[in-house]
Amino acid sequence: MLPVECAGCRDRRPGLRHGVCPECVAALGALRPRAVRPTPAPPDLPPCVALGPYAGPLREALLAYKDHGRHGLARPLGVLLAEVVAVAVGEARPVTLVPVPDTAAAARARYGDHLGRLTRHCADRLRRAGWPVRVRRPLRALPRPDSVTLDSAGRAAAAESAFRVRPRVPSAPDGAVVVLDDILTTGATLAAVGRALTASGMSPTVAAVLAATEKRHRP
């Protein structure tokens, strides 16, 4: 078997399961979802729960999945996202998952809707565990700059006009409405999604993300 680069640590070795070495699998498995909040938090940001900080194997796996075409990581990352949802909603049932929509340009650059794939595997995992889960896409994304190139003020401005409610949105669902995203940075995107959902009658209960950036303090 030819060696393959581990998505978590970049070491090359044969026989990787889902593209991740046993050590990185253990590191990811040791992460426990917890409540997170950026400082300062933008208005209307729903409560947020993340699997872990945007660092180490989790960061590398997300980069490999999103930017380097490692689509086989969608399943294990989706399973991890399901763990975040389970902690985020507690006993609330049923659960409606609302992924943050990609722009058309971002979907083309990543060879498809990367968050849509994660959501599908997340929902499958929860359903296999007996959860009543549905996925809804009440929002569409409008063209906007790549957030990587923007500071916090730029992210907020871009997010403010980034989403529109689709026509004929279904009535508000029972149970928990969970917004799904991959990375929480300033919270501007999730706050904008929260406002758009609230305007459509689907107020989010919580946001579940895989990773949250941590502010670095200067010594």
Side-chain angles (χ1 to χ4, degrees):
M1 297 175 64
L2 294 177
V4 178
E5 184 180 83
C6 170
C9 64
R10 305 297 178 90
D11 282 351
R12 295 185 65 83
R13 58 176 73 185
L16 297 185
R17 183 179 181 184
H18 300 303
V20 184
C21 72
E23 291 80 4
C24 288
V25 168
L28 293 172
L31 296 173
R32 294 294 177 265
R34 61 183 179 87
V36 294
R37 199 138 189 100
T39 304
D44 305 314
L45 179 67
C48 300
V49 177
L51 178 67
Y54 186 53
L58 181 57
R59 176 182 183 275
E60 295 303 319
L62 281 170
L63 288 173
Y65 171 61
K66 290 178 60 176
D67 298 334
H68 301 297
R70 300 283 295 271
H71 292 169
L73 294 167
R75 181 181 178 186
L77 290 174
V79 168
L80 291 173
L81 188 57
E83 294 182 15
V84 182
V85 172
V87 170
V89 303
E91 299 298 321
R93 304 287 189 279
V95 175
T96 299
L97 304 178
V98 181
V100 173
D102 248 346
T103 64
R108 286 193 300 270
R110 293 166 178 156
Y111 301 98
D113 181 358
H114 78 288
L115 199 57
R117 287 189 294 265
L118 292 181
T119 301
R120 183 170 65 253
H121 288 291
C122 173
D124 287 346
R125 176 70 169 186
L126 292 170
R127 288 173 184 139
R128 287 198 301 272
W131 291 47
V133 176
R134 53 192 160 189
V135 178
R136 285 190 177 175
R137 296 176 174 271
L139 305 179
R140 64 185 182 93
L142 304 180
R144 63 184 186 273
D146 189 339
S147 61
V148 173
T149 67
L150 303 175
D151 59 13
S152 57
R155 287 172 184 262
E160 193 59 38
S161 58
F163 304 102
R164 290 289 182 274
V165 179
R166 296 181 184 276
R168 297 183 296 279
V169 172
S171 58
D174 296 329
V177 175
V178 185
V179 181
L180 300 183
D181 206 354
D182 50 4
I183 303 166
L184 171 65
T185 305
T186 65
T189 296
L190 289 174
V193 168
R195 285 190 290 273
L197 288 176
T198 299
S200 75
M202 291 180 61
S203 297
T205 307
V206 69
V209 303
L210 283 168
T213 59
E214 295 183 327
K215 182 173 287 188
R216 296 179 180 178
H217 299 282
R218 294 181 180 179

